[in-house]
Amino acid sequence: QRLKAAVHYTVGRLCEEVGEDTGVQFSKQSIAAISEITFRQCVSVDKNVKGYSLILCRHAKRSTVTTEDVKLLARRNNSLLKYITQKSEELASNNMEQKEKKKKKSSAAKGERTPGEQEAAVTESEDFNMA
């Protein structure tokens, strides 16, 4: 029920924004109807994603739904596919940054040098030996 109320609230806000831009007003009944349709569509998509993803996983002999599975499901909706792709790339980038930070922290804690620091130390050593 909370989710349904959140959808109704969001649809109401969107209708207000559209109304301000276009000069069209939405009645409470039309907002309620749009909210109900939106909620039902989301429930339907949720069921399809779950069912389709399970089929893909079983076919690929996996137990985990991947972003590629979701992208395959969204392939007929270009804007949704573009959004999912963008978000998946952002998440992958953030994950890589987090891994690099952890790697640097653990190396620093162990007293190890990063590859860049190792190269600088070798160069300093070579410079010292040449002198």
Side-chain angles (χ1 to χ4, degrees):
Q1 290 294 3
R2 288 179 54 192
L3 183 58
K4 202 171 196 176
V7 169
H8 183 77
Y9 175 79
T10 303
V11 167
R13 291 287 163 215
L14 290 171
C15 288
E16 282 180 13
E17 285 182 29
V18 169
E20 289 173 3
D21 293 344
T22 62
V24 174
Q25 290 189 351
F26 293 85
S27 69
K28 290 182 179 182
Q29 292 84 3
S30 64
I31 291 172
I34 294 169
S35 298
E36 185 64 27
I37 292 167
T38 302
F39 187 79
R40 286 183 185 184
Q41 184 67 29
C42 289
V43 169
S44 174
V45 168
D46 177 58
K47 288 178 183 177
N48 289 339
V49 167
K50 286 178 183 173
Y52 188 71
S53 298
L54 288 173
I55 291 168
L56 286 174
C57 287
R58 286 185 189 141
H59 178 73
K61 296 182 175 133
R62 291 185 278 112
S63 60
T64 304
V65 176
T66 66
T67 53
E68 295 305 314
D69 297 333
V70 178
K71 287 179 191 178
L72 188 60
L73 181 62
R75 71 186 182 279
R76 291 188 180 141
N77 185 332
N78 288 332
S79 60
L80 180 60
L81 180 59
K82 189 183 293 185
Y83 180 80
I84 290 170
T85 302
Q86 176 189 2
K87 288 298 177 186
S88 124
E89 289 170 358
E90 286 176 17
L91 287 171
S93 175
N94 288 342
N95 286 342
M96 291 299 290
E97 289 173 10
Q98 292 297 325
K99 285 181 182 179
E100 288 298 320
K101 286 180 184 177
K102 284 182 182 179
K103 191 181 282 188
K104 286 180 182 178
K105 283 183 182 179
S106 67
S107 294
K110 292 178 183 177
E112 297 175 2
R113 296 180 177 165
T114 64
E117 292 171 337
Q118 289 174 352
E119 187 176 312
V122 169
T123 304
E124 288 174 13
S125 174
E126 290 172 350
D127 290 344
F128 180 76
N129 287 339
M130 289 183 154

